Amino acid sequence: MHPILQRCARRPLAGGLVVPYVTLIHDGHAAFGVLDADRTLDAFRRRLCQICTQPLDERCYLLVRPADVVKGCSPEPALHPECLPYTAGHCPMLNGTATHYRHSPVLAGHPAGRPCTDPCCLCPPRSPDDAGHTARSGRLADRYEA
């Protein structure tokens, strides 16, 4: 495992891991693998690293799947060169430990199996009709490249 980077020293931790800036925090819990749309947009607009939230330098990395390359864009903001190894070392989608997509989706409204109990919350309802998840469920995980 990679040690926590100096750039990430002020970032919150969950289970000993740095919580990336773009990760959704729901009901006080980090929902790893779920992007916070507002923070993601903020990172794109302000050219911030998706992990440490510091401004990107001229040299940075994008995480892309083959489908993203075809489209010519990445759904996630860039990372600093030093934030990439930490991320790749801990993210199952990048380090090869997630060989298949989950059979059950981890939805923004139910991170880590904790259903949302706040009636005023804007989180999406849990829906088995998620066409994107249904199409990927149990299938081989996409290959990501930097």
Side-chain angles (χ1 to χ4, degrees):
M1 291 292 173
H2 296 273
I4 294 173
L5 304 168
Q6 183 63 34
R7 282 187 182 273
C8 298
R10 293 193 172 123
R11 296 288 318 139
L13 301 177
L17 299 175
V18 172
V19 177
Y21 173 65
V22 298
T23 295
L24 180 70
I25 305 297
H26 186 273
D27 202 22
H29 300 278
F32 287 110
V34 180
L35 295 177
D36 180 306
D38 292 334
R39 287 184 175 198
T40 299
L41 186 58
D42 181 55
F44 273 121
R45 287 183 174 159
R46 295 179 45 212
R47 293 186 38 85
L48 303 176
C49 175
Q50 69 162 290
I51 305 301
C52 71
T53 194
Q54 295 179 17
L56 291 165
D57 302 319
E58 185 173 318
R59 184 172 165 232
C60 59
Y61 286 91
L62 290 172
L63 300 175
V64 294
R65 301 165 299 173
D68 302 327
V69 173
V70 170
K71 292 178 185 176
C73 64
S74 172
E76 297 186 21
L79 301 92
H80 289 108
E82 57 270 30
C83 291
L84 177 63
Y86 178 85
T87 303
H90 293 92
C91 176
M93 293 303 290
L94 300 177
N95 66 23
T97 58
T99 57
H100 290 78
Y101 283 101
R102 293 181 181 106
H103 286 283
S104 301
V106 174
L107 298 175
H110 303 82
R114 296 178 188 93
C116 180
T117 57
D118 182 356
C120 298
C121 183
L122 299 176
C123 65
R126 186 177 192 132
S127 170
D129 301 334
D130 176 2
H133 176 76
T134 302
R136 295 183 307 266
S137 179
R139 301 189 81 184
L140 289 175
D142 287 328
R143 184 184 80 248
Y144 279 80
E145 296 178 356

